[in-house]
Amino acid sequence: METNIAAQGTSSALAGSRRRLPPELNIFLVLIGIALVYEILGWLFVGQSFLMNSQRLTIMILQVSVIGIIAVGVTQVIITGGIDLSSGSVVGMTAMISASVAQASTWPRALYPSLTDLPAIVPIGLGVGIGLVAGYINGQLIAKTKIPPFIATLGMMVSARGISKWYTKGQPVSGLTDQFNFIGTGIWPVIVFLVVALIFHIALRYTRYGKFTYAIGANVQAARVSGINVEAHLIKVYAIAGMLAGLAGVVTAARAQTAQAGMGVMYELDAIAATVIGGTSLTGGVGRITGTVIGTIILGVMTSGFTFLRVDAYYQEIVKGVIIVAAVVVDVYRQKGRKKT
């Protein structure tokens, strides 16, 4: 009998250790697996290495950094059980508006000749602030009018895209100052992404803000009964998501050293894909920023790998759609398994 008790204790300890393994480990193993598949296919069909090209990997990380900034905000929205379809359009809108006050006096067609050569903090702050306002409006619509997040953010998506086109009548904004462009040069977009991810990883895991966010997503009625001001917190979460989309718009304009109304198209879907691939549940209450970071990198590896293998862009979109659906299906079965246990 003592042997049975000892065996049960050992099995319980092993089960406990397995449960304590970080959920991001499986996602990271998927990332390694995808990278190795591209490495093998690269030698078979292209005759060169996928992983050993530092320039390719650098470009890949830079490309996904903007999506990653957006995805950090989208992750928090989805944890509450909501969705944000407006982030891509907010990127385009904030890119246009922030670039318009970041033009150099040497540019002959400055949109606001009296507002040229401003310190970089002005256009950066303006872009982030406008994104914050857009997110705040989303939050107000969802919290106060009780309309579904899908509809509220869809309306913002259309409106923000319209504003970005109307703002300069469809004309691009160029001639930006070197000081403004600096945030988009070199490794700076990646640094911004990682700093944002670290800040909100800490906020979600170790602060009351994070506890409230998870509580609302897990059971909104229980959260309300426990004393959480659900409406006020939802407004805060959507405002933060909008703010990060605004920051992404600033970084996008600085990287391109110009702004166009079409910037950010489909970015919201890429951000949602990175979030879901990273393990955040669309039903709410489950998700981590670390998983989103890995999911963002997976998305970048996939896109870079397709380009590396010279796969047509149309097929890339098809495969990306299949992967998003597959990630959601996996999440559904994972949630069913949790309910059974």
Side-chain angles (χ1 to χ4, degrees):
M1 184 173 180
E2 290 179 357
T3 305
N4 290 337
I5 293 172
Q8 289 174 2
T10 303
S11 62
S12 298
L14 290 172
S17 64
R18 282 195 294 268
R19 284 195 296 268
R20 283 194 296 270
L21 289 174
E24 293 84 0
L25 180 60
N26 290 334
I27 307 167
F28 182 74
L29 291 176
V30 170
L31 170 62
I32 298 298
I34 292 173
L36 291 177
V37 167
Y38 279 128
E39 180 71 11
I40 294 169
L41 293 176
W43 286 113
L44 289 176
F45 296 105
V46 185
Q48 56 181 283
S49 171
F50 173 72
L51 294 173
M52 294 299 108
N53 188 318
S54 58
Q55 183 179 7
R56 180 183 301 111
L57 296 178
T58 301
I59 292 173
M60 177 193 74
I61 296 297
L62 286 171
Q63 286 175 336
V64 300
S65 58
V66 171
I67 299 298
I69 295 169
I70 300 170
V72 171
V74 170
T75 298
Q76 298 170 70
V77 168
I78 293 179
I79 288 173
T80 65
I83 198 73
D84 187 356
L85 300 178
S86 66
S87 51
S89 295
V90 172
V91 166
M93 178 178 66
T94 54
M96 292 292 287
I97 296 174
S98 62
S100 69
V101 295
Q103 291 181 294
S105 56
T106 53
W107 186 251
R109 297 187 302 277
L111 195 62
Y112 301 113
S114 60
L115 296 177
T116 54
D117 294 330
L118 294 175
I121 191 65
V122 175
I124 292 172
L126 181 62
V128 172
I130 290 173
L132 179 68
V133 171
Y136 178 79
I137 293 172
N138 282 337
Q140 283 282 354
L141 287 172
I142 293 162
K144 302 299 184 183
T145 68
K146 308 300 181 185
I147 63 176
F150 181 91
I151 300 300
T153 58
L154 179 64
M156 179 58 71
M157 178 182 77
V158 176
S159 298
R161 185 62 64 188
I163 291 171
S164 65
K165 293 176 181 178
W166 160 83
Y167 188 67
T168 61
K169 303 299 185 289
Q171 297 300 311
V173 180
S174 303
L176 312 184
T177 64
D178 292 337
Q179 191 181 27
F180 177 80
N181 290 335
F182 180 76
I183 194 175
T185 59
I187 203 72
W188 277 105
V190 180
I191 293 174
V192 172
F193 167 39
L194 294 178
V195 169
V196 166
L198 178 61
I199 289 171
F200 287 100
H201 169 73
I202 293 171
L204 284 177
R205 289 206 66 182
Y206 303 109
T207 69
R208 188 170 63 173
Y209 168 82
K211 292 176 182 177
F212 287 3
T213 302
Y214 283 108
I216 292 170
N219 189 321
V220 66
Q221 293 304 325
R224 202 183 304 276
V225 170
S226 66
I228 297 173
N229 188 333
V230 172
E231 286 72 24
H233 193 79
L234 285 176
I235 292 171
K236 189 182 301 182
V237 170
Y238 279 92
I240 288 172
M243 178 187 71
L244 293 179
L247 176 60
V250 170
V251 174
T252 300
R255 275 198 69 205
Q257 300 186 8
T258 185
Q260 298 181 11
M263 283 179 163
V265 172
M266 299 293 286
Y267 278 17
E268 64 277 355
L269 297 186
D270 284 341
I272 293 170
T275 301
V276 174
I277 291 170
T280 299
S281 173
L282 286 171
T283 59
V286 177
R288 292 190 183 186
I289 298 298
T290 47
T292 297
V293 171
I294 299 172
T296 303
I297 297 172
I298 288 176
L299 208 61
V301 168
M302 286 167 44
T303 303
S304 180
F306 285 139
T307 305
F308 170 65
L309 295 174
R310 301 181 180 88
V311 176
D312 191 274
Y314 301 113
Y315 296 119
Q316 293 184 30
E317 296 298 326
I318 293 170
V319 174
K320 189 185 295 183
V322 171
I323 290 173
I324 293 171
V325 173
V328 174
V329 170
V330 169
D331 174 62
V332 169
Y333 281 100
R334 189 167 53 218
Q335 295 305 317
K336 287 182 179 178
R338 285 196 182 115
K339 289 178 181 178
K340 288 179 180 178
T341 55

